[in-house]
Amino acid sequence: MARKRTERRHLLGLIARSFYLQTAWNYEFLQALGFAYVMSSVGRRVASGGRATREFLERHTGLFNTNPVLASYIIGGTARLEERHSRGETSGAEIVALKSALAVPLAAVGDRFFWAGLRPLSGLLGILAAGWLGAGGALVLLAVYNVFHLYYRVKGVLRGYALGAGLVSEISRLRLPRLTVHVGWIGAFALGVLMVTAVHGWQAAWKREAVFVLPSVALAAGFLPQFLRTRVTEVALALGALGLLLTAGGLLG
Amino acid sequence: MLREILVLCFAAGVCALDTTAAWQLMLSQPLVSGTIAGFIVGSPETGVFVGVLLQLLWSGSMPLGSRPMPDAPVGTATGVWFAAALVETGGVSLSFSNLAGLLVALCVALAGRSTIVWERELNCRLMRRLRMRLSSGRNVNVELTQALSMTMAFFRGFLLCVLAVGVLSVLVPVLGGAGGVVGRDYKLVLLLVQGLGIGVLVSVFARGVRGRLPAFAGGVALALLIRNLAG
């Protein structure tokens, strides 16, 4: 009973630390320091100082990068393998191999779902909600994103710890690719609602021409070449400068 | 006033932490940081308005790999403060103050992007030092290095906000005093920016995926139906 409680406390500690995986993100070692920080609570238990601690830190300060949410699977799995390593049941090389074997597939799945799907979707739903609820839109954004975010953070550490090296086969059973497709559908649906709402808003507040102007600009912008789409801040700034030119016109005239 | 600005900059620092360094609960999203900033400066409507526009524009920005993104939370907080300060002067139209807030947010966010690159380079130095100590057999303190990095990330956002607010506070009375001259209609520019922002979402959700067209059409139909029913 006491052992179970201690284990639960350690896992909670790992989950809490996993939120700081990217704190020291840098161009050379990527998430390495963050990973070492997350694992250092495990290190205190399994590495008894001196050479063992140094080897432990060397294993976890090497280049590492994956999706920060799904990294929780690797964190849980690595913690389990480190415990086995301290009992002499597995080698250090196996731990490093698990980390590098899972980092790329988890990054591919996680980035598509969390960054390219869920993040824009939660923003879109937040914007729609802001039309009705005002400041409540921010709460909708936070709720939609964090239901999935927190679920996978917690589940990842727990499943990873339960499965250890068996985690590799678990990854292929993740439901996230299917969820990504659903997120795309919901996003397209919500986009349709937003388009009508925005046009109606402008029409009511300003001019009927908004019916044509807004969708035309949106479609043109939506199909801009890649190099311009990645510079949307600069394009918006140029539009803003146009507004300033109008001011200059007002000052001169 | 000074207390309000300090709270705003503190919130900007916390939201900046959320971008990459910690949590990633999406406090750094413009809609959220704009709303928080709006409440702090006593004008939630301005916060939501500027937040929505920036949220639309930055919906497609993804924090993938080494690509530095515009510093959305600090930019948004500063933009909301600037728009609210202009409204308070009573000398400009609402659409002008919103446009000015938006412009300020974009400029500060772009300036913040370079500071993110510096922060990452400093992190790199910290990490190299740690590994050097480790390979020479000396003791290393991972927790302390992590704490240093975290402090750096917070103060980058906090100080950037302090600096931006300090510089821009000179502009507030100048623009506010321009009165009727800048009181013209800027709705067209805001409409174009909103169109551009929705375009970003089109590129995220509709581009290249014909199968999603029925879902998009369904959304349009439902919204039109609700509009008609609502009269």
Side-chain angles (χ1 to χ4, degrees):
Chain A
M1 186 68 182
R3 208 182 121 246
K4 263 222 147 126
R5 206 176 303 146
T6 318
E7 188 181 292
R8 205 176 305 150
R9 213 183 58 229
H10 289 315
L11 286 175
L12 279 177
L14 270 182
I15 292 167
R17 278 173 177 247
S18 74
F19 285 92
Y20 301 95
L21 178 73
Q22 301 209 108
T23 299
W25 199 98
N26 61 79
Y27 295 112
E28 206 172 316
F29 303 95
L30 309 167
Q31 297 165 336
L33 180 64
F35 197 84
Y37 167 75
V38 176
M39 295 309 293
S40 60
S41 66
V42 179
R44 267 198 299 274
R45 280 187 293 128
V46 299
S48 49
R51 199 174 147 208
T53 305
R54 255 204 317 280
E55 278 177 5
F56 176 89
L57 284 174
E58 267 165 17
R59 269 200 297 281
H60 299 303
T61 48
L63 185 127
F64 179 75
N65 201 40
T66 190
N67 177 269
V69 181
L70 295 190
S72 54
Y73 282 89
I74 303 179
I75 290 167
T78 310
R80 168 50 63 92
L81 286 193
E82 280 294 351
E83 283 176 6
R84 290 185 57 203
H85 179 60
S86 69
R87 297 193 295 267
E89 293 167 12
T90 184
S91 67
E94 209 173 309
I95 299 171
V96 177
L98 179 87
K99 274 174 66 181
S100 45
L102 291 181
V104 175
L106 283 178
V109 175
D111 288 350
R112 269 182 69 85
F113 179 72
F114 286 101
W115 296 150
L118 188 62
R119 206 167 87 130
L121 176 68
S122 55
L124 175 50
L125 295 178
I127 290 166
L128 278 174
W132 290 296
L133 307 169
L139 292 178
V140 170
L141 185 155
L142 289 172
V144 171
Y145 184 82
N146 285 306
V147 163
F148 291 93
H149 169 221
L150 296 176
Y151 173 75
Y152 277 100
R153 283 255 191 212
V154 175
K155 188 190 174 192
V157 172
L158 299 181
R159 286 297 288 167
Y161 188 77
L163 293 168
L167 193 57
V168 180
S169 54
E170 168 85 359
I171 301 306
S172 59
R173 285 198 293 272
L174 275 180
R175 282 162 48 199
L176 283 179
R178 210 178 320 148
L179 275 178
T180 308
V181 175
H182 295 159
V183 162
W185 278 85
I186 298 168
F189 183 85
L191 186 60
V193 177
L194 178 72
M195 195 82 100
V196 174
T197 311
V199 166
H200 188 272
W202 279 105
Q203 221 185 333
W206 196 36
K207 283 180 180 172
R208 293 197 68 81
E209 284 82 344
V211 177
F212 306 104
V213 178
L214 191 74
S216 314
V217 174
L219 285 176
F223 292 91
L224 276 176
Q226 173 74 17
F227 77 97
L228 273 177
R229 273 189 295 134
T230 52
R231 283 168 183 77
V232 68
T233 311
E234 288 85 346
V235 176
L237 207 51
L239 282 176
L242 180 72
L244 283 184
L245 280 178
L246 289 176
T247 310
L251 286 168
L252 292 172
Chain B
M1 179 74 170
L2 186 68
R3 210 167 115 194
E4 182 188 283
I5 289 173
L6 278 177
V7 174
L8 179 83
C9 295
F10 180 83
V14 171
C15 291
L17 270 182
D18 186 74
T19 312
T20 305
W23 321 307
Q24 296 183 318
L25 298 170
M26 298 299 129
L27 298 174
S28 56
Q29 290 294 291
L31 180 58
V32 181
S33 48
T35 306
I36 294 171
F39 275 111
I40 293 171
V41 300
S43 177
E45 305 82 23
T46 307
V48 173
F49 187 85
V50 175
V52 162
L53 279 180
L54 292 167
Q55 184 71 44
L56 280 171
L57 286 173
W58 287 324
S59 288
S61 312
M62 280 175 263
L64 293 177
S66 58
R67 193 169 71 193
M69 302 207 331
D71 195 340
V74 179
T76 310
T78 318
V80 169
W81 168 81
F82 192 70
L86 278 182
V87 170
E88 248 176 53
T89 62
V92 292
S93 68
L94 196 63
S95 57
F96 179 79
S97 66
N98 283 333
L99 176 64
L102 182 77
L103 272 178
V104 161
L106 293 171
C107 288
V108 174
L110 281 179
R113 187 156 68 181
S114 336
T115 64
I116 293 174
V117 175
W118 292 341
E119 185 197 323
R120 289 176 173 182
E121 280 165 1
L122 284 173
N123 280 336
C124 204
R125 276 192 215 170
L126 280 176
M127 188 64 195
R128 270 194 222 129
R129 212 170 132 224
L130 184 129
R131 278 175 66 96
M132 222 154 64
R133 284 179 70 92
L134 195 64
S135 58
S136 62
R138 282 184 283 174
N139 282 338
V140 293
N141 193 335
V142 173
E143 265 104 349
L144 183 69
T145 316
Q146 177 89 348
L148 261 176
S149 182
M150 183 96 164
T151 312
M152 220 158 60
F154 169 77
F155 277 104
R156 186 196 59 76
F158 178 81
L159 292 175
L160 182 65
C161 191
V162 168
L163 188 72
V165 169
V167 170
L168 290 164
S169 56
V170 181
L171 271 181
V172 173
V174 176
L175 285 178
V181 179
V182 291
R184 34 191 302 169
D185 204 340
Y186 293 91
K187 283 177 183 159
L188 177 65
V189 181
L190 289 173
L191 175 76
L192 292 176
V193 171
Q194 196 174 358
L196 179 69
I198 295 178
V200 171
L201 283 168
V202 169
S203 74
V204 171
F205 287 114
R207 197 182 162 96
V209 191
R210 273 188 208 157
R212 286 181 191 164
L213 209 59
F216 176 75
V220 170
L222 180 77
L224 286 173
L225 188 71
I226 291 172
R227 288 276 162 211
N228 283 334
L229 287 176

